[in-house]
Amino acid sequence: MLRFTQEARNPFEALPLGNGRLGALVYGNAHCERAILNEDTLWSGYARVRVKERPLDHLAEARRLLFAGENLKAKQLIEQHMLGEFSESYMPMGELILSNRDRSPFTAFSRTLSLDRSVATTTYCQNGNTFKRTAYVSAPDDVFVIRWESEKPGALSFDVHVTSQLRSTVLVDGNDLVLDGQCPDHVEPNYVVNAPDPVVYDEGRGLRFCVRCSAVLTDGSSWCQDGVLHVENTTACTIVCSAANTFHDGRYRERCADVLHKALANIGQLAQRHIDDFLRLSGRMTLSLMDDESVYDMETFSSQNAAGTVAVKQYEMLFRLGRYLSICSSRQGLPANLQGVWNWDLRPAWSGNWTTNINLPMNYWPVESCALPECGEQLIYWLETIIPYGERAALADLGVHGWCMHHNVDAWGKTDATKKEARFGFWPMAGVWLCQQIYRRYTYSNDVEFLREHIYPIMEGAVRFCVDWLIQNDKGEWVTCPSTSPENTFWFDGEACSVAVSSTSDIAMIAELFDNFAEACAVLEIDSELLRTAQLKRAGMKWFAIDDGMLLEWDQPFEPVDPGHRHFSHLYGCYPGDLCMDDPALLEASRKAFHHRLDHGGGKLGWSRTWAMALAARYGERPLVDELLESFVLTSVKKNGFDFYVA
C-alpha cells in the first residue's frame, strides 16, 4: 500500500487507477477532489487513408546510393520522399471534480493506494468529524466509482463538476450529469515547437465522446442544475461514472447510459466485485525484500531520495507498482500506450502513442515472468487488428509482402514511416521486435493452441516481410537496406547520418524471429516453403560487425555523433533477445560495446537506465545492476512512483 500524509499537487503525486480501458488519476484532496479521466480509444484524428508521396518510387535509388557508399545522399532522399506523417495523439478525456462546501481546516489527513485491491482511499478529520473517500475503476462493471462517507449522519455536502480540455458541453439528463464532447481532427506532437495551429478542429471529423455521472445517496438529497450535480446533507454518497466514444460505432451515448445504469442497478455489489476481480491478478505473486508490513511511506522515500539514499523497501514497492500498473493499463481494449492509460495533456509527451522502438516492448517485458499473461494478450489481440494496416504499408511503401510497422503507431493503424527524420522515422522493424515479445507467451505457457490460433499467424506475416525485405549485396549476403539503428546517428562527410546497410539490431531481430519461427513450426508440425526460405536466408545473412573486439552498431566502424546515446538497440541480441548469449566471443564484444556506451554517458533516462540494468544483469555484473538501480530511483522516480521525462 502506498501512503501519503500530504495532498497531491500535480499528476506526479496523484494515484493511478484503471481497468485497461478506463484510467483515472485521483488526487485525493480534502476540500476539492480531482480525478483526471481517460479512455484508451480516445485519440485525435479519424479513420482515413493518409495521402502521401509513394515511397516505393524511391526505394531502388536509396538502395543504389547505399551500396555505392553514398549514405548521406540516401538519408536525404529518404527524408525528402519516403517518410509519412506524424501519428495522432492520445487525448485527455476529462476531469471529475468534487468540491466540498465546507472549506474549514482539516487534520489527520491520509491518502493511500492499495496495490492489491486497486482502491485509492482518503481520510481526514474536519470539525470533529471523520470523512473517508474511496475510489476505484471496476473491470467487471466498466465504471469509475468514488464513494464519500461521513462518520456523523448528514454532515456531507458537495458539488460535482465534470470538465474537459476538449470541445465539450455539460448537459443534464434526468438525474445524470453528462459531458458530451469532440476530439480534434489533428494534434501536432508536443515536440513540434511553434506549430501555427497545433490543435485542429477542422471538419468536425474527430471522435465524439461522453462521460456520464450519477449519484446514489444513503440520505439527504441530490439534484442536477446548470451543469452541476449538487449533493446535500448526506451521510454517504457514491458517484458512478461511465464513458464511451465513437471509435467503434456511433451509439456512444446509448452505450454510455446502458453501462452506467446497469452498474447503478448493482450498486451494492460494485466494490466487492471490483476487489475480487483485481485480487485474481494481483494476488498471483509478490516480492518481499523486508519482513515488515508492506506499507510504503512515499513521502519518506521522496525525502530519502532527495538526500541521496534509497531504501531496500522502495525497490520492493517499485516491483509491486510495476505489476499494478500493468494490470491497470492492459486488461482489455488497446495495449498500454506510452503513458499506460493515463494522460492529462492536450499535447501529451511524444503524442502518448505507441513508440515501438523500445517503449511499447518494454511495457510488456514483465508480464510473463510476473504471472500476468492476460495483460500481455492485449498486445497480441491488438496486433491482430493492426496487421491489415501493416500489410498495406509493407506492400505500398516497400514493395514486399507480409506486414511491418514503423516506430510511431496510433489508434488509426498508422504503421508507415514517420515524418521529419530517418533516424527515428524510417524503421520498419517494429513488428519483428514485437514478435519476440509475443512469442514469450508460448515459451512461458507451452499453450500450443494459443500459439496456433494467435501467435503463429502474426509471426508468419512478419517472417514473410523479412524474407522479402532482405536483399543480396555484392558478396551474396542477405542484408536490410535501407537500415537504421533506432534514433542514433553517425558522422558521414562531416554531417550526421542515420542510414546504412544491415544495422546490428536488424540482424539480431530478424535472426531471432527466424529461429523462433522455426521452433514454432516444429511445435505445430508445419513444413512450408516460407519456413525453408527463411532458414536459407538466415544461414546467408550478413552477420554482426566487430571492430577492435567491440560489437559495432552499423555495418561499418562509423563514428557515432553521440557515443552515449540513450538507445541500446545494437545490444538487442543480449536483451531483450538472447541471440548472443550462447556465443562467448559475441557476448564479450557486446559487453565491450555496452560499457563504451555507459562510459560516454549512456543510460541516463529512466527507461534507458532500465534497459541498461537488464543488460548488466545478462552480463552477470551485479554491482553495476545495483548502481544503475539506485541511480534510476534517485533521478527518475516521481513521488507517486511514476517515471516520466520530457526533454
Side-chain angles (χ1 to χ4, degrees), residues 25 50 132 152 160 195 283 323 357 405 453 473 488 510 537 581 599:
L25 275 174
R50 300 169 195 260
K132 179 181 180 181
K152 293 182 179 180
V160 180
R323 286 190 80 245
N357 63 19
M405 180 188 294
E453 295 298 320
N473 61 15
N488 207 355
I510 293 175
K537 292 198 172 183
M581 299 306 294
D599 290 345

Side-chain angles (χ1 to χ4, degrees), residues 28-163:
N29 298 347
H31 288 156
C32 186
E33 172 65 287
R34 296 176 60 193
I36 298 169
L37 304 178
N38 292 111
E39 201 273 350
D40 71 336
T41 58
L42 197 71
W43 288 67
S44 64
Y46 51 93
R48 62 191 174 96
V49 176
R50 300 169 195 260
V51 178
K52 61 185 177 183
E53 190 172 354
R54 278 176 50 86
L56 184 57
D57 293 345
H58 305 277
L59 178 59
E61 176 62 8
R63 285 174 164 170
R64 187 194 69 78
L65 289 169
L66 284 166
F67 285 141
E70 298 284 356
N71 295 58
L72 195 58
K73 289 183 179 178
K75 167 190 172 283
Q76 293 165 347
L77 177 70
I78 289 170
E79 292 179 345
Q80 289 171 9
H81 300 292
M82 297 181 68
L83 302 183
E85 301 176 3
F86 290 125
S87 76
E88 290 299 339
S89 298
Y90 181 51
M91 291 288 93
M93 182 169 63
E95 189 169 327
L96 183 71
I97 302 171
L98 279 59
S99 183
N100 192 349
R101 292 186 200 164
D102 184 355
R103 294 303 178 103
S104 59
F106 57 88
T107 60
F109 178 86
S110 174
R111 59 190 180 98
T112 62
L113 174 64
S114 169
L115 300 180
D116 296 327
R117 299 177 172 222
S118 190
V119 176
T121 303
T122 298
T123 58
Y124 60 94
C125 294
Q126 194 175 33
N127 296 326
N129 189 13
T130 298
F131 293 90
K132 179 181 180 181
R133 194 186 306 125
T134 56
Y136 56 90
V137 179
S138 167
D141 293 287
D142 206 19
V143 288
F144 171 61
V145 180
I146 295 184
R147 180 175 174 82
W148 202 344
E149 304 172 62
S150 165
E151 189 174 67
K152 293 182 179 180
L156 182 59
S157 297
F158 62 94
D159 300 317
V160 180
H161 302 259
V162 60
T163 66

Side-chain angles (χ1 to χ4, degrees), residues 546-551 585 588-590 592-593:
I546 296 174
D547 184 64
D548 193 25
M550 185 171 76
L551 182 68
E588 186 56 36
S590 69
K592 188 171 182 178

